[in-house]
Amino acid sequence: MNILEINNLNVSYGSKQVIKNLSMNIEKNKITAVIGPSGCGKSTLLTTLNLMIAENGGSFTGEILFKGKDILSYEIDYLRRMIGIVFQKSTPFPFSIYKNLTYAPKYYGIKDKNRLNEIVENILKRVGLYDEINKNLNMLATKLSGGQQQRLCIGRALTVEPEILLLDEPCSALDRKNTANIEEMLLELSKDYTIVVVTHNLSQAKRISDYTAFILDGELIEYDTTENVFNNPKDDRTREYIKGIYG
Amino acid sequence: MREKLKDSVFKIWIGLSTSLVFIVVVYIFLYIFINGAGSINGEFLFSAPKGMPIGSEGGIFPAIVGSLLLMVIACAFASILAISTAIYLVFYCTSEKVKRLIHLIIQCMSGVPSIILGLFGYTLLVLHLGFGRSLISGGITLGVMIFPYIQVRVEKTLIEVDKAVITSSYALGVSKVYTLFKLIFPMCKFDIVSAITLAGGFAIGAAAPVILTAAVIFAPVPESIFSPVMALPFHLYILTGEGISLEKAYGTALVLMLILLVINIISVILNFTRKEHE
Amino acid sequence: MRKIREKIFEILIKMLTLFSVLILAFVVIFIFKESLTFFKEVSLLKFITGRRWNPLGPPEELSILNIIWGTVYVSLVAIAIALPIGIGTAVVLSCYTNRNVKRLIRGIVDILAGVPSVIYGFVGLLVVVKFFEVNLSLASGESVLSGGIVLSVMLLPFIVSTCDESMEKIYREYSQSSRALGVSKSYMIRNLLLPASKRSILASVVLALGRGMGETMAVMMVIGNASIIPRLLGKAQTIPSLIALEMGMAEVGSLHYHALIASGFVLMIMLLIINGLLYVIKNRMDI
């Protein structure tokens, strides 16, 4: 089942067109990796999907359906709640871990202490931080290590119970061990969420994703199961890109 | 040879200049602390001025309270306007032209001398609006004076907030107002309070705006915002200018300096706490 | 519900901003309107070229040339004293200190800027004025010179910080290449840094002039407040002190009352011209 359907999407910043006539469907509860050289429009695609593009000064034409309905027909708050996003640079709020995780639930009207505690505990377990920081919920989130911060930010995006999680190069600033942690966590999360991850790291895409999309200069060159894209690419450009990186 | 002479003269000049700045500061502080220390005691701090002419005996309690109240009103008035303007410029204003115009106006405002603001407060608030010489007239006039000071600093603080953090708040589907109150204000609170505190110090020391709008030679602790008040700077001016009591004047000057010292220490602590938090 | 609250907040913020901006307009319009009443009776030209100020009459004479001179004179004396000291300090600050000493000197200069003007007036009266009376056996120590000395201390922070800012930039830019030529530091400062800082020094002078002319308390307490032709060792009067002293006594609505507001108007126009000058200098500085 396709949770997102993108039809003939064009995105531009002013007169500069960043995404050209892109169509693709994203399957529910799978991990879809988006790969391509930097500046090819991968990140722009993500920010378009939860409509943050307008705030960044861009605009789009074409159609994006979320669960069969045009995303523009949803309330923007609701849409962003359903389609969460985590950025490359981790952005913990300069509050305690607890406050980071209750920030959004409180906005959506959850006042009950027990309920909030429950949410925090659940999220921490999901992102694998529970054992590491459970006793330190009042610690400043900015004092966590880089990998922990990123997991907290993913957790924070989960506090609003989204259906889709967009990740923009979530591991590019992390070392191998933390990257492995996050990959493991994403595999676990894909049981309940649809995940779209933009990445530079081809082996990461290969390791964790079910589908892979290759974008070059704003155009979707190839989109298939990860196995097909990596082992049996149909387009020469895809083959070159994959080879080029592998050396 | 000539070069050597020039070199020496130059070095003497800059050395003397810097030393002179140090000496002046130390001199002013020592002068007031040494001369004023003897005048300060419980009675001076906590009783009203007495004697004939008034102020030659007794204390300065109503002036301390009056000055603090003027400061509080000025800070409240100025910070509501200054913080609103800063929020508007950083988070709502989309036109560069409007932004530049408002910045220009605020810059002009900071260049208006305090006596002109006093004149304005006197004609508009005291006379036309009929507030009379009062806490409210003086407080608003001082508020207008410190408005640009707070606005500039608060705006700078808001601009410096990491854009990525704000974006991730919006990404959670959270509204602008919620982001402002629950994320940005808590992040900036120390800087904002510190800016207001310093501006308060500026207000409490200003005499020119309150001469015309609030201060009188003698008044009890004010009962309402429409009561006239005593203020420390004005009291100091009267005590010296009219030659009433030099001893009391030294004491008043010292109290004023001590209040400013406390205000500055508070702002330093706030800055320090903020750095701890980061 | 939430949407409405968002909208209300936005409107509130916009209204408060508008109000803040209008206050400046209020200040200008009010003072202009009130002085207009005066200029209907006495011509602007007569007001600023006549020498006699005698509001209590008879005959009632309201001209402020002496007072305008006094205002400018005191500020110029103050700048003449403060400028060499300020530039010297700025040079030390930008070229001769490490980070900690820099912080110390900046702190000291900030303290200087934070002392209320009434304290300067107070110390000035008891120290500077008294010094002139005792040591130079002048009849009265209250004079333009006393005012200039006291005011110079108050203007120092403006001069130091304005000069320091650009001097530090220039020093960082050129010190390396100058040292490569084997030239001494003091030679470099005298022949490269100071000439290159001309504009910012000029800007600091203009800024200080504006501040000085608008200063009330410190000057008022030491200058003698007599509306006569100002001399260096004689008493004088400035516009701010004139307003501060006489506004409270002037009968509301009388010619005297309007003349005082008109003098405030004249001061504002003079400062506006000075600030315009400053704007031009600063804009040229960047090119």
Side-chain angles (χ1 to χ4, degrees):
Chain A
M1 189 202 133
N2 292 328
I3 192 162
L4 273 178
E5 292 165 43
I6 305 168
N7 297 320
N8 305 90
L9 179 70
N10 287 288
V11 184
S12 50
Y13 289 105
S15 58
K16 191 171 171 270
Q17 190 166 4
V18 189
I19 289 180
K20 296 162 195 156
N21 205 23
L22 182 145
S23 300
M24 67 189 280
N25 296 332
I26 287 167
E27 196 177 327
K28 194 170 158 67
N29 289 8
K30 297 285 178 202
I31 299 183
T32 303
V34 180
I35 59 171
S38 45
C40 71
K42 302 179 302 250
S43 303
T44 305
L45 178 63
L46 291 197
T47 45
T48 311
L49 293 182
N50 77 343
L51 290 178
M52 298 205 59
I53 188 77
E55 273 149 50
N56 298 343
S59 59
F60 76 95
T61 62
E63 189 185 44
I64 303 173
L65 303 178
F66 171 58
K67 295 209 271 188
K69 268 173 69 187
D70 193 326
I71 53 168
L72 292 173
S73 68
Y74 290 93
E75 288 265 336
I76 195 157
D77 295 8
Y78 178 77
L79 185 82
R80 286 187 185 162
R81 215 176 134 181
M82 289 299 111
I83 307 179
I85 189 166
V86 174
F87 302 101
Q88 183 173 357
K89 185 174 155 260
S90 61
T91 52
F93 300 152
F95 308 138
S96 68
I97 294 162
Y98 185 84
K99 266 188 148 180
N100 262 275
L101 294 177
T102 53
Y103 177 82
K106 277 184 180 163
Y107 176 77
Y108 292 109
I110 299 172
K111 297 268 150 63
D112 180 42
K113 260 253 148 42
N114 294 327
R115 181 85 189 85
L116 288 171
N117 291 340
E118 203 179 301
I119 290 173
V120 170
E121 191 182 318
N122 262 328
I123 294 290
L124 288 175
K125 279 181 181 158
R126 296 216 87 141
V127 298
L129 282 173
Y130 188 74
D131 298 326
E132 289 170 52
I133 56 175
N134 178 37
K135 289 178 190 69
N136 270 324
L137 288 181
N138 287 322
M139 187 170 124
L140 264 182
T142 43
K143 294 212 166 131
L144 292 169
S145 74
Q148 289 174 325
Q149 284 191 11
Q150 193 59 296
R151 274 187 278 164
L152 181 73
C153 289
I154 296 173
R156 193 176 62 200
L158 297 180
T159 55
V160 295
E161 294 161 14
E163 303 202 3
I164 304 178
L165 197 55
L166 309 173
L167 300 152
D168 190 354
E169 310 211 15
C171 302
S172 66
L174 302 179
D175 60 21
R176 286 178 67 110
K177 189 169 166 291
N178 277 307
T179 303
N181 271 336
I182 289 194
E183 286 177 4
E184 194 183 316
M185 178 187 105
L186 291 179
L187 286 171
E188 193 61 34
L189 288 175
S190 71
K191 288 174 191 155
D192 301 304
Y193 302 94
T194 307
I195 294 173
V196 181
V197 55
V198 161
T199 180
H200 254 116
N201 183 339
L202 290 183
S203 51
Q204 177 173 64
K206 205 172 167 185
R207 276 197 299 273
I208 61 171
S209 67
D210 303 296
Y211 295 95
T212 297
F214 172 55
I215 297 183
L216 187 66
D217 290 332
E219 283 178 70
L220 181 65
I221 305 296
E222 186 147 358
Y223 180 40
D224 206 336
T225 60
T226 300
E227 205 189 308
N228 280 342
V229 169
F230 279 91
N231 297 334
N232 194 10
K234 291 186 191 70
D235 196 295
D236 288 345
R237 287 169 291 183
T238 315
R239 184 173 299 126
E240 270 166 36
Y241 181 70
I242 289 169
K243 265 194 192 151
I245 297 284
Y246 286 141
Chain B
M1 192 55 222
R2 275 192 69 111
E3 178 54 34
K4 250 196 174 153
L5 183 70
K6 277 191 191 167
D7 185 83
S8 320
V9 171
F10 170 76
K11 281 187 175 150
I12 291 170
W13 164 45
I14 62 172
L16 272 181
S17 304
T18 313
S19 327
L20 205 62
V21 172
F22 271 85
I23 292 168
V24 168
V25 170
V26 173
Y27 181 84
I28 291 175
F29 274 77
L30 284 182
Y31 184 83
I32 287 175
F33 277 74
I34 290 171
N35 287 305
S39 316
I40 292 191
N41 52 41
E43 199 215 343
F44 183 69
L45 290 177
F46 296 112
S47 70
K50 297 184 192 84
M52 201 60 214
I54 192 115
S56 55
E57 279 166 49
I60 55 167
F61 185 67
I64 295 176
V65 176
S67 271
L68 290 175
L69 288 174
L70 281 170
M71 177 181 82
V72 169
I73 292 177
C75 283
F77 181 80
S79 34
I80 289 172
L81 295 181
I83 294 172
S84 301
T85 308
I87 290 175
Y88 174 73
L89 287 174
V90 178
F91 293 100
Y92 288 95
C93 182
T94 46
S95 149
E96 279 303 312
K97 262 189 197 157
V98 173
K99 254 188 217 181
R100 235 178 298 149
L101 178 70
I102 296 180
H103 281 144
L104 180 72
I105 290 176
I106 290 167
Q107 206 194 332
C108 286
M109 220 156 157
S110 65
V112 173
S114 56
I115 187 70
I116 298 285
L117 297 178
L119 198 59
F120 160 74
Y122 182 68
T123 53
L124 179 68
L125 303 171
V126 176
L127 301 177
H128 284 263
L129 295 180
F131 290 167
R133 276 186 202 215
S134 61
L135 204 48
I136 187 81
S137 302
I140 292 177
T141 308
L142 288 172
V144 173
M145 183 181 84
I146 60 176
F147 164 81
Y149 187 92
I150 301 178
Q151 196 280 332
V152 169
R153 277 161 188 74
V154 172
E155 187 179 336
K156 188 163 167 277
T157 311
L158 293 181
I159 287 175
E160 280 169 3
V161 173
D162 189 352
K163 288 282 165 303
V165 169
I166 300 174
T167 314
S168 19
S169 171
Y170 292 156
L172 291 168
V174 158
S175 73
K176 207 176 227 179
V177 174
Y178 190 80
T179 305
L180 270 171
F181 279 91
K182 298 288 170 173
L183 181 64
I184 294 169
F185 287 162
M187 278 173 80
C188 301
K189 63 182 173 215
F190 292 114
D191 289 290
I192 294 177
V193 175
S194 159
I196 297 172
T197 318
L198 283 176
F202 183 30
I204 211 169
V210 298
I211 284 186
L212 298 173
T213 57
V216 290
I217 291 176
F218 175 74
V221 172
E223 281 167 4
S224 88
I225 53 170
F226 295 105
S227 315
V229 288
M230 291 182 71
L232 286 170
F234 183 67
H235 191 61
L236 173 59
Y237 165 68
I238 292 296
L239 288 179
T240 22
E242 314 273 310
I244 293 172
S245 163
L246 203 53
E247 187 208 337
K248 300 287 178 201
Y250 280 124
T252 310
L254 180 53
V255 170
L256 182 57
M257 294 290 270
L258 287 175
I259 291 177
L260 283 173
L261 198 66
V262 170
I263 287 174
N264 278 286
I265 288 172
I266 290 173
S267 116
V268 169
I269 292 174
L270 283 170
N271 264 325
F272 190 72
T273 331
R274 185 203 59 170
K275 288 205 181 102
E276 282 283 281
H277 265 247
E278 271 163 8
Chain C
M1 189 54 212
R2 179 158 263 149
K3 280 266 152 61
I4 298 171
R5 257 188 292 170
E6 295 274 323
K7 204 70 210 157
I8 291 175
F9 182 78
E10 186 174 341
I11 292 169
L12 188 72
I13 288 288
K14 281 185 180 163
M15 277 171 48
L16 287 170
T17 305
L18 187 67
F19 180 69
S20 315
V21 171
L22 285 179
I23 290 179
L24 180 80
F26 275 157
V27 174
V28 176
I29 291 168
F30 240 82
I31 294 196
F32 178 67
K33 191 191 124 238
E34 295 279 308
S35 30
L36 221 54
T37 325
F38 175 78
F39 290 128
K40 271 184 205 141
E41 306 255 335
V42 180
S43 81
L44 175 66
L45 197 69
K46 183 162 178 268
F47 184 57
I48 58 173
T49 54
R51 290 196 173 275
R52 297 182 64 87
W53 176 266
N54 188 11
L56 302 175
E60 192 180 37
E61 285 173 293
L62 297 163
S63 294
I64 57 168
L65 184 63
N66 285 343
I67 302 169
I68 293 177
W69 278 138
T71 313
V72 178
Y73 201 167
V74 177
S75 295
L76 289 180
V77 170
I79 290 171
I81 299 168
L83 195 61
I85 301 172
I87 294 175
T89 310
V91 167
V92 171
L93 198 50
S94 52
C95 309
Y96 282 95
T97 46
N98 59 29
R99 257 188 49 212
N100 285 330
V101 181
K102 224 168 239 180
R103 217 181 288 160
L104 175 71
I105 300 181
R106 290 223 173 97
I108 293 277
V109 173
D110 281 347
I111 291 174
L112 217 49
V115 173
S117 58
V118 70
I119 298 280
Y120 283 116
F122 176 65
V123 177
L125 186 65
L126 296 175
V127 178
V128 180
V129 171
K130 205 175 248 170
F131 174 84
F132 282 129
E133 279 169 8
V134 173
N135 292 7
L136 301 181
S137 55
L138 293 170
S140 159
E142 295 176 328
S143 64
V144 172
L145 184 58
S146 307
I149 291 171
V150 173
L151 192 55
S152 73
V153 180
M154 299 186 66
L155 298 184
L156 264 175
F158 295 107
I159 295 178
V160 173
S161 52
T162 311
C163 291
D164 170 44
E165 210 179 298
S166 70
M167 282 181 183
E168 200 175 288
K169 238 184 267 163
I170 295 168
Y171 182 70
R172 238 183 291 139
E173 211 172 319
Y174 297 119
S175 72
Q176 201 119 38
S177 44
S178 170
R179 224 178 309 148
L181 296 169
V183 162
S184 80
K185 197 175 188 172
S186 100
Y187 185 86
M188 178 258 179
I189 294 169
R190 280 179 286 124
N191 294 289
L192 177 66
L193 186 115
L194 288 180
S197 315
K198 250 187 333 214
R199 261 183 209 293
S200 62
I201 292 173
L202 189 62
S204 78
V205 168
V206 175
L207 178 72
L209 185 66
R211 293 282 156 173
M213 284 169 57
E215 174 51 38
T216 313
M217 293 313 290
V219 174
M220 174 166 117
M221 290 170 82
V222 296
I223 201 176
N225 300 310
S227 306
I228 51 175
I229 300 172
R231 283 177 304 107
L232 190 60
L233 292 177
K235 293 184 179 185
Q237 175 73 298
T238 67
I239 294 178
S241 58
L242 176 78
I243 297 170
L245 282 172
E246 298 191 5
M247 196 67 197
M249 308 185 293
E251 193 188 322
V252 178
S254 68
L255 200 60
H256 184 199
Y257 168 88
H258 287 291
L260 287 169
I261 297 177
S263 65
F265 179 69
V266 170
L267 177 67
M268 238 170 42
I269 297 295
M270 293 199 300
L271 290 177
L272 210 62
I273 293 169
I274 287 172
N275 279 315
L277 211 61
L278 187 67
Y279 190 74
V280 172
I281 294 172
K282 272 195 172 164
N283 269 6
R284 289 229 184 125
M285 217 146 70
D286 292 332
I287 299 167

